[in-house]
Amino acid sequence: MKEIVSGSEALMRSLVNEGVRTIFGYPGGAIMPVFDALYDYTRGEGKRFDHILVRHEQAAAHAAEGYARVSGDVGVCIVTSGPGATNTLTGVADAMMDSTPIVVICGQVSTAALGTDAFQEVDLVGVAQPISKWSYQIRRPEDVAWAVSRAFYIARSGRPGPVVLDFPKNAQMQTCEWSPVSVTSVRSYRPYPELDNASVEAAANLINHAERPLALVGQGVELGGAHNELLEFLEKADIPAACTLLGLSALSSDHPLNYGMLGMHGSFAPNVKTQECDVLIAIGMRFSDRVTGLPSTYAQQAKIIHLDIDKAEINKNILCDVAVVGDCKMSLPAITRHLRKNNHREWMKSFEPLKQQEQEKVILPCLHPADGPLLMGEVVNAVAQATKGEAVLVNDVGLNQMFSSRYFKYLKKRSIVTSGGLGTMGFGLPAAIGASFGAPNRTVCLFTGDGGFQMSIQELGTIMEQQAPVKMILLNNNYLGNVRQWQDLYYAHRHSFTHMMNPRYELIAKGYGIPYDVAIDRGDLVAKVEKMLATDGPYLLECAVKNEEDLLPMTVPGRNVDEMSLEAEW
């Protein structure tokens, strides 16, 4: 005889079936039946989940993102209807842009009240549809098991992404016969396209005859778990590579074929060589405008091979000569089997003078300044050296994001959590909380600016309650630094509302019971970083950095990708 359960209990059982261990959430009126069911699943002998009470619903979505990015599992958050649901939508859009698998479960008014402008009602499915992989309203308890299984299948399969489930209150409370459901396919949805052998052979033929190949490595390698396949591919054909922002930990920082980061603030050599290579191999990346510079002049001299699981990305921004549509865990070894063992030593030698230029003009002055106030790069370098490439980097958005992404070290996969496509300020702190639960055995280092930190500063309450061991490095320059740099570039140094008056972070940390220190003098930096890392639990290290520090190199918008400035032109 089948068991009769409520829709809320069916949700709990469905989440257990999907292997969920951690949920980020915030209760409210329209989701109370679910939270009542959750009570028994988070306590005592029946405990199946850890529920992390955040302080704002947007933080629940970002924490779920951080959890998903480092663990490889689907992140989950549960919130109430109306403003609770709409508060998560920035996180949903962020996850959609960055292909992050999360499932957001929101309360909703009862179905009888839908369309009446009831208290805290909003058309969530309609609002979420353009920014999610799938959005669905569960109107009957009988549909819970199917909807949850389908949601997780869609979120994690193919090109991952966010799914939103809208759960009216009456469906949470009504009962149904319970039986588990496993969705393993959806009509018209092909998450893993079949490889086209002709395309695979055409790609291999171009690579075999290339004299100046260059590989662009994106997050698709991380999402597909194709790290070993990437190494075999690069090493067999001896291809230099550079990584997108989201793909930085797909290839170890110390690998001899890794030439750094692509894009507007990336490494000088691979950006210049993009305009000189004869075959460009894009692997699991989407040719973002921040990578290509001026699209009309991008890599015009090269034959372009694009490997991506999502056919919609092919020829969307940059036209390619050969498209290999499929999971890169399958497409990379398929191509590698057709490759000749090769040597491109002379081609790679041509990268060295460019690396040296950047080293002398940008990196050394940034990481090892002789005097003056602390610089962001040297703070990042001190933490990177102390963590020896073993830590997870989480960052916010702005100068702190670019400096930390450029100068951190990545020796393990899934080691960077950042807001790429949407560029969401306030992302860093809650994402770091999520990452600390997704990778509990790794050190999580958050780099944040004073602007982004204050956008989600309430999440220090979550850190306090959970004792989440996030090492927070606050790069405080009293500016919205990235916007200030653009104001210098385009608006004649007119700093319109980018200078910030900041609170006393020491007192804020004290109020939350979080250990705190401040680094002002260069001579104290290493010792203070070591103290932070040696302290159990959370820690806030405020670093008083140069107020008007510029981020270089930079490809100014409207220029070719290789027209990078190594010195400030403003």
Side-chain angles (χ1 to χ4, degrees), residues 121-395:
E121 180 195 1
V122 70
D123 178 11
L124 182 62
V125 171
V127 174
Q129 194 166 18
I131 56 170
S132 63
K133 201 173 173 188
W134 185 49
S135 61
Y136 181 77
Q137 188 174 81
I138 307 172
R139 294 193 170 205
R140 306 186 311 154
E142 293 90 340
D143 297 331
V144 170
W146 168 83
V148 171
S149 182
R150 180 180 167 116
F152 276 78
Y153 173 70
I154 290 173
R156 65 163 63 103
S157 62
R159 180 180 183 174
V163 170
V164 175
L165 293 178
D166 193 37
F167 199 5
K169 194 170 183 178
N170 62 298
Q172 300 172 37
M173 300 172 69
Q174 292 166 356
T175 60
C176 65
E177 289 187 346
W178 160 256
S179 59
V181 174
S182 178
V183 173
T184 57
S185 65
V186 175
R187 188 175 62 182
S188 78
Y189 172 54
R190 295 178 58 219
Y192 303 102
E194 186 176 343
L195 286 179
D196 176 60
N197 289 330
S199 297
V200 167
E201 291 175 10
N205 184 57
L206 282 178
I207 296 168
N208 281 334
H209 290 90
E211 295 180 358
R212 301 181 307 280
L214 178 63
L216 312 183
V217 178
Q219 190 192 196
V221 173
E222 295 260 51
L223 297 174
H227 304 83
N228 292 335
E229 289 79 3
L230 174 68
L231 283 177
E232 292 172 7
F233 170 81
L234 295 176
E235 290 172 356
K236 185 175 182 180
D238 198 34
I239 300 174
C243 301
T244 66
L245 175 65
L246 292 175
L248 280 172
S249 62
L251 183 62
S252 177
S253 298
D254 63 358
H255 195 283
L257 293 175
N258 189 344
Y259 282 85
M261 186 171 83
L262 296 162
M264 177 181 284
H265 294 295
S267 302
F268 188 45
N271 279 335
V272 170
K273 292 300 178 180
T274 295
Q275 302 296 77
E276 297 179 14
C277 66
D278 59 359
V279 174
L280 189 71
I281 310 110
I283 307 167
M285 54 88 74
R286 58 187 179 87
F287 288 114
S288 160
D289 59 293
R290 290 298 171 106
V291 165
T292 63
L294 194 62
S296 60
T297 60
Y298 182 78
Q300 291 290 295
Q301 80 295 336
K303 296 290 186 181
I304 296 178
I305 302 167
H306 194 175
L307 282 64
D308 205 282
I309 198 169
D310 187 356
K311 190 176 181 179
E313 291 298 338
I314 304 300
N315 295 326
K316 185 177 81 174
N317 296 328
I318 299 295
L319 296 178
C320 67
D321 296 277
V322 176
V324 183
V325 181
D327 189 340
C328 60
K329 193 171 182 66
M330 304 298 293
S331 58
L332 279 171
I335 294 172
T336 302
R337 283 192 290 271
H338 294 280
L339 294 182
R340 296 195 298 260
K341 184 73 174 172
N342 218 325
N343 183 308
H344 295 106
R345 191 174 298 112
E346 292 303 314
W347 163 235
M348 282 185 275
K349 277 184 181 179
S350 70
F351 284 65
E352 296 306 317
L354 300 171
K355 286 180 61 178
Q356 192 60 34
Q357 284 185 57
E358 183 179 2
Q359 184 76 11
E360 293 173 359
K361 291 187 176 182
V362 177
I363 297 175
L364 287 177
C366 179
L367 302 191
H368 305 287
D371 51 25
L374 286 173
L375 300 181
M376 291 191 184
E378 68 175 313
V379 174
V380 175
N381 187 54
V383 178
Q385 294 294 327
T387 54
K388 299 179 173 60
E390 299 289 319
V392 173
L393 167 69
V394 185
N395 50 32

Side-chain angles (χ1 to χ4, degrees), residues 373-524:
L374 286 173
L375 300 181
M376 291 191 184
E378 68 175 313
V379 174
V380 175
N381 187 54
V383 178
Q385 294 294 327
T387 54
K388 299 179 173 60
E390 299 289 319
V392 173
L393 167 69
V394 185
N395 50 32
D396 208 85
V397 169
L399 294 186
N400 68 87
Q401 178 185 33
M402 293 294 102
F403 275 109
S404 59
S405 298
R406 274 179 58 87
Y407 295 120
F408 211 70
K409 302 300 179 187
Y410 314 93
L411 300 184
K412 291 186 174 182
K413 63 183 180 180
R414 294 188 175 273
S415 290
I416 180 169
V417 180
T418 191
S419 175
L422 201 62
T424 306
M425 287 184 68
F427 170 88
L429 186 54
I433 294 170
S436 73
F437 284 93
N441 297 319
R442 299 185 66 185
T443 300
V444 175
C445 294
L446 166 68
F447 285 88
T448 180
D450 41 311
F453 189 60
Q454 291 184 80
M455 281 195 173
S456 54
I457 199 168
Q458 76 282 341
E459 296 311 314
L460 291 176
T462 307
I463 286 181
M464 172 185 68
E465 183 172 352
Q466 301 295 332
Q467 283 299 292
V470 178
K471 310 305 181 185
M472 297 167 277
I473 301 97
L474 172 58
L475 301 174
N476 187 357
N477 60 4
N478 296 292
Y479 268 103
L480 298 175
N482 201 39
V483 183
R484 188 272 313 154
Q485 181 170 327
W486 284 59
Q487 287 175 334
D488 289 346
L489 176 61
Y490 286 114
Y491 297 97
H493 299 262
R494 289 159 56 88
H495 296 164
S496 181
F497 300 102
T498 46
H499 186 269
M500 300 188 73
M501 177 180 288
N502 279 307
R504 291 180 60 185
Y505 293 108
E506 177 183 9
L507 298 182
I508 292 173
K510 184 177 180 181
Y512 284 106
I514 295 173
Y516 166 93
D517 202 352
V518 60
I520 299 173
D521 297 324
R522 182 162 290 112
D524 298 334

